[in-house]
Structure formats: C-alpha cells, structure tokens
Amino acid sequence: MTDPQTLAARFPGDFTFGVATAAYQIEGSTKADGRKPSIWDAFSNMPGRVHNGDNGDIACDHYNRWEADLDLIAEMGVSAYRFSLAWPRIIPEGTGRINEQGLDFYDKLIDGLKARGIKAFATLYHWDLPLALMGDGGWAARSTAYAFQRYAKVVMARLGDRLDSVATFNEPWCSVWLSHLYGEHAPGERNMEAALAAMHHTNLAHGLAVEAIRHVTPNVPVGLVLNAHSVIAGSDSAEDSAAAERAFDFHNGAFFGPVFKGEYPASLMSALGDRMPKVEDGDLAVINQKLDWWGLNYYTPMRVLADTAEGAEFPATQPAPFVETAVTDIGWEIYAPAMKLLVEDLYRRYDLPECYVTENGACDNTDLGADGTIDDTMRLDYYVEHLGVVADLARDGYPMKGYFAWSLMDNFEWAKGYQMRFGLVHVDYQTQVRTIKQSGKWYRDLAAEFPKGNHAPA
C-alpha cells in the first residue's frame, strides 16, 4: 500500500480532493417539508425493482443529520463536497409552485459548508425527476427540458452566489440508457424510441440549463458529469474492433458528440436516426456550448465482442470476459489502466476543458470487525491504484484538477438497495451511526497534504 504522503507528492499543489454524495441516496425525509415523489420513490416501491424492496424513505437520514455530516466531511480534511439537489424538494411538481422549504434546506447546507471552509460543488440532476412530470412523458417529452431550464434558474437565483461550481447532469448514460432502454433504473422503460427521446431531451436540457446558469450567475463555473466508458475490444479481430468503436459511439458519443462537437455520432444516426425525436433547428447549437469543466465518473472498463446474431440492435455488441480476475463486491472488474486509456482517448477525440474525477471508488462490503474497525483493504487498494492513474495523467499534461471519492458514506445504491457499500464511512442503517473505515482514514491523510479550499474551476 502506498502511503498517502508519497502519493500526494505526485499531484499538483492546487489539486482538489473531495467527497461526493447524491440527494436521493442519503437524504431520506421523502415526504417532509413539501417534497413530493420522484420517479425513484415510485420505482423503488414497485415490487421486484430494487433489492429487498429497499427505498430512500430514510436512507442515511442526512436531511435531519446534515450538520453532523458536514462536521464529518470537515473531519475528513477534504477541501470540497460534491452533492446533488433534489428537484422534487424545490419544485415538487416539476413545474409550477416553488417550495421555499426545500430551498431553505440547501441554503443551510451550503452555508454550513462555507462556515467549515469547504467548497460547494452542486449537481442539479442526479436522477430524481419529479414524478408528476411522467404524466407528460418524463425525459421522453421535450417539455421536460424546458422545465429543467426553469429549475436551474430557480436554484441559481437562490443559491448560486455561494456555489463554487455547478454541474447540470450526473451520468446521463444512466438516466437515458440504463433507465429507458435496459429498464434497470427508474422509470424502468425498455424501448429504444423512448431512450433516444430521453437522450436528446436530456442533452437539450443540459444546454438550456447552461444558458440559464450563465444568465443568472455568470461567474459560477458550469460543467457536465459523464460516466464515460473505457470500451475495450475483446479480441484483436476486425469485427471486435469495429464493435468497440460502435460501442464507443453509443455509450460515449451520444453525449460527448453533441456537447463537445455539436453533432451526434454518424454511426448512431445511420443506424437509429429514423427513430430519433425531432432535432429542431438550433438544438445542437444550444447543446454545444463551451463548458468550464467536465466531470469523469469511472469505475470499471467495458469489454465487448461483436454480436453477430441476426437482428442485433445497434451497437450490436455483447460483453467480453474480464481480463483481470480482481473484482469489487458488486462484480465490477478492477483495471485501473483503462481509466488512463479512456482519458487519453477522450482528449484525442474531443476539445475538452479541464477535468475533475467526480466519482471513483469501489464497492467493498467489509463490515465492522469485533474491535469496531472496518478494514476495507480492497477499497483502499482500489483508491491507491486509480489515484495513481490520475497523478500520471496530470504529470503527462492532462488538465486533471480534482478528485471526488465515491462515496462519503454508505448509502442507498439505487437498484442494489442497501446491500452494496461504497462509502469511506460505514453507516449502520438501524442506528445511523457513522464509522470512518480504514480507506477513509487513509484518504483523510492524503487530503491533509493539501491546503484546504485552494482551488475551484476557473
């Protein structure tokens, strides 16, 4: 194991170390103070959708324990906290009435961060769409993009004066493909036309929100968080190499293309363009606005083979076997070199601004030992390997500006419920007691090597 001081010496002096969470995964209090249901409230309460029937009604009870949790973040020694805002707390129906109590909560949270000298990195959308908007079709409806634009204006008008950075969306791949094509996340749709509609309207909403943010708070750096896939062909054959390129266009290009090039990938449009929603004049110009930064969420590589079955849907790929035998407790291959290959590839393909690793971490379900400690060695080794990659990228001249560990604490892990633990801090869901794990103590020592709060996106 690399000691934190040795690793810290490999990073630029202005590098930001932070921790990350998301509203639905930690807040709880889903019916408190005017909040109305999100699509995840509905989805997680449908039988068979979430492991063990778990839901976010209580989660980590952060809504009531936020002050103690901010003290915990301060104790971790990091200079920044990445969190998301719950749209259904702020505009409960998605449109219409603004809920001042919802904004009051985030007012307190941000003021609490400022009081502790911690940078506030906010994400406007981390998957909890107000359920009422599903009556119009949710993300499959163009109107949702304009509802999101208004939501962005409301948030920034009230909170933007104290934010150090804002992201429009977290992982649109998940809220588009995983949620509308594969059916694994809310709203649980399995339909290519719905997924393509959600893709375009999410991209449009991003662009409209960028306009809104810059109009209301022109000095707040704005970005987009993407869980880019490191797509690796399962063999050296021409067929598998072509399949990997198609997979890149589908999983990455569908979002990077319009945002950073002003166009959808040609292969996607050739295969699926007749199933796309109407792309109106000016849409791509709205989407393709220069960003101040972008966020990379990375966990595991995607290995693919060509799917030669007749009628295989674009991108016509199937999973290839893992190369490494090491996996996390959620079953994801551990292969840190893929993270470096991915960043290098993305900067070759696109004109990208500075980068923050906005999520990275490992599911390690090691529980409390008899002595009350959690020796999550696998997670700690994962952090060492991947942070080493980030340091290498910075050394090689890539504009790597910060790293946010996923996650601050164990939480509601979407369709996996509470069975999977990603936290640097252990949460006993019965008592809500927080215990810093071995990995958390190591990360705390790493962060301590850097001056607190000395960098935000320019």
Side-chain angles (χ1 to χ4, degrees), residues 437-458:
K437 303 175 186 180
Q438 178 191 21
S439 62
K441 294 174 182 176
W442 180 90
Y443 192 70
R444 178 183 62 194
D445 292 343
L446 177 69
E449 296 296 307
F450 290 78
K452 194 170 184 180
N454 64 353
H455 184 75

Side-chain angles (χ1 to χ4, degrees), residues 25-312:
Q25 292 182 270
I26 66 167
E27 285 182 359
S29 297
T30 55
K31 299 177 179 65
D33 297 334
R35 183 192 182 277
K36 289 198 173 180
S38 74
I39 56 174
W40 268 97
D41 293 292
F43 186 81
S44 58
N45 285 299
M46 293 172 64
R49 294 294 201 174
V50 174
H51 171 77
N52 197 42
D54 294 340
N55 60 44
D57 288 358
I58 299 174
C60 302
D61 195 30
H62 174 72
Y63 189 77
N64 296 308
R65 299 170 186 265
W66 63 271
E67 288 190 272
D69 286 341
L70 294 191
D71 288 341
L72 179 61
I73 295 169
E75 183 183 348
M76 296 294 290
V78 297
S79 61
Y81 176 45
R82 176 176 174 251
F83 60 99
S84 76
L85 300 123
W87 188 352
R89 280 202 197 283
I90 295 169
I91 307 178
E93 303 283 351
T95 60
R97 183 183 64 84
I98 297 168
N99 180 33
E100 294 296 331
Q101 288 178 293
L103 285 166
D104 289 345
F105 171 71
Y106 295 110
D107 253 336
K108 294 184 296 185
L109 186 72
I110 295 167
D111 285 347
L113 289 170
K114 300 288 104 176
R116 291 164 177 81
I118 300 167
K119 301 280 189 184
F121 281 60
T123 301
L124 294 179
Y125 187 76
H126 200 129
W127 310 347
D128 45 358
L129 184 75
L131 182 61
L133 291 180
M134 286 305 296
D136 294 324
W139 287 113
R142 187 179 176 92
S143 57
T144 298
Y146 293 96
F148 185 75
Q149 181 186 40
R150 176 177 177 253
Y151 162 61
K153 287 180 181 177
V154 168
V155 167
M156 299 309 289
R158 176 70 174 270
L159 308 174
D161 61 321
R162 284 153 292 148
L163 293 179
D164 295 282
S165 176
V166 64
T168 55
F169 282 83
N170 176 80
E171 296 187 353
W173 182 91
C174 290
S175 53
V176 171
W177 300 137
L178 199 59
S179 303
H180 291 83
L181 182 62
Y182 304 134
E184 296 180 25
H185 280 189
E189 185 66 76
R190 297 186 181 186
N191 180 283
M192 181 62 84
E193 285 80 2
L196 290 168
M199 174 192 71
H200 182 60
H201 298 144
T202 295
N203 287 331
L204 178 62
H206 158 76
L208 292 169
V210 170
E211 287 185 340
I213 292 163
R214 287 190 169 144
H215 176 73
V216 177
T217 50
N219 295 323
V220 177
V222 59
L224 171 66
V225 171
L226 297 156
N227 58 321
H229 289 70
S230 184
V231 183
I232 303 172
S235 82
D236 293 332
S237 73
E239 292 80 9
D240 290 340
S241 295
E245 189 63 21
R246 292 194 303 272
F248 183 96
D249 286 349
F250 186 74
H251 297 290
N252 296 329
F255 309 102
F256 280 87
V259 172
F260 296 109
K261 281 189 172 180
E263 62 186 26
Y264 285 105
S267 66
L268 186 148
M269 295 304 291
S270 175
L272 300 170
D274 61 338
R275 300 162 75 176
M276 283 277 289
K278 181 176 175 56
V279 178
E280 296 187 4
D281 289 346
D283 281 3
L284 289 169
V286 170
I287 298 166
N288 176 220
Q289 297 178 71
K290 282 197 174 294
L291 299 178
D292 300 301
W293 62 277
W294 72 283
L296 169 65
N297 290 2
Y298 173 85
Y299 293 94
T300 188
M302 172 184 281
R303 300 185 186 273
V304 300
L305 299 167
D307 185 348
T308 58
E310 186 176 349

